[in-house]
Amino acid sequence: MNPVERSPLRDEIRQVLLDGLIDGRWEPGDRIVERRLATELQVSQAPVREALRELEALRLIETVPNRGARVRAFTAADLREVYQVRACLEEKAATLGRPDADALELHLARLHEAATAGSLTAQVRHSVAFHREIVAASGNAVLVSVWESLGIEVWTHLSIRLFRVRLHENAADHGPIVEAFRRGDPAVGRLLHDHVLGYAPPQP
């Protein structure tokens, strides 16, 4: 792994950790050794500790007394709770602003390409970009910040990997949202809400 750039350290280290969770470097239950990671990235332990605390706030990491940080064992309930909050945020975003339908169409094309290539990682990346376009169009900085703070990419990756492995179906699900925004459908917020919840694991 290459040393991270120095601006700002905490954010870049946080992204290194998120990427490690996404690509499977760290699995649930694995320890993340603060000193080892700091040495690997050629930084002090302080920004590593700060980044770990941020991920702990997202419920991705847990601190075990006398043992340091480790990756949480994620449950279906964890995923459901994140998606319930996310669905409400995106529904509200859709009522506050209208994204560029052509930009959404481009992300949709990339989703289909990822499905054809069988790339889960690419599909997650383009799915998050699709939804980020909608959230950003709300023009509400607080809403955008809260949405980003949910750790969307990690939870999306977990959800698709565990519960929504049908990549072509996942891509197709985004088509009606593009069309709803294109025609100015007043019900697009509810459509988006239900779409997001469709990626949450079902209630037992």
Side-chain angles (χ1 to χ4, degrees):
M1 185 181 298
N2 295 324
V4 298
E5 297 297 326
R6 274 7 188 218
S7 58
L9 277 176
R10 181 185 63 190
D11 290 345
E12 297 209 22
I13 294 168
R14 178 180 183 272
Q15 191 58 53
V16 166
L17 289 164
L18 288 173
D19 290 343
L21 293 173
I22 290 168
D23 65 23
R25 176 182 178 180
W26 294 293
E27 298 286 349
D30 286 351
R31 289 184 64 206
I32 299 178
V33 182
E34 186 181 298
R35 182 180 302 171
R36 185 182 303 161
L37 186 59
T39 300
E40 186 175 310
L41 299 177
Q42 299 179 21
V43 299
S44 69
Q45 286 181 236
V48 173
R49 190 176 304 119
E50 292 173 359
L52 286 170
R53 284 174 182 161
E54 289 189 5
L55 296 192
E56 187 170 16
L58 293 177
R59 301 189 307 158
L60 297 171
I61 299 293
E62 62 184 358
T63 301
V64 182
N66 303 316
R67 296 189 62 187
R70 71 178 182 187
V71 181
R72 284 189 67 235
F74 308 113
T75 67
D78 292 325
L79 285 166
R80 260 196 315 275
E81 289 176 2
V82 170
Y83 273 90
Q84 286 166 353
V85 173
R86 178 181 168 183
C88 292
L89 290 172
E90 294 196 24
E91 180 177 14
K92 185 61 179 177
T95 69
L96 295 175
R98 185 173 176 179
D100 182 345
D102 290 336
L104 293 180
E105 193 78 56
L106 181 59
H107 292 307
L108 177 60
R110 298 290 183 267
L111 277 166
H112 282 290
E113 289 172 6
T116 298
S119 175
L120 171 60
T121 299
Q123 182 160 91
V124 170
R125 183 170 64 252
H126 295 302
S127 173
V128 172
F130 179 99
H131 288 270
R132 183 174 284 116
E133 194 85 37
I134 295 169
V135 174
S138 71
N140 187 307
V142 174
L143 191 153
V144 172
S145 178
V146 173
W147 186 86
E148 293 284 3
S149 76
L150 292 176
I152 296 295
E153 190 164 356
V154 174
W155 290 112
T156 301
H157 195 282
L158 288 169
S159 177
I160 292 178
R161 188 173 69 187
L162 297 175
F163 300 103
R164 294 278 307 218
V165 294
R166 303 176 301 278
L167 300 188
H168 284 285
E169 182 179 318
N170 295 344
D173 282 348
H174 292 74
I177 297 171
V178 178
E179 295 308 314
F181 275 116
R182 196 179 291 283
R183 65 177 181 269
D185 189 338
V188 67
R190 176 49 56 175
L191 175 66
L192 186 60
H193 178 278
D194 293 345
H195 162 84
V196 170
L197 281 187
Y199 284 77
Q203 293 279 1

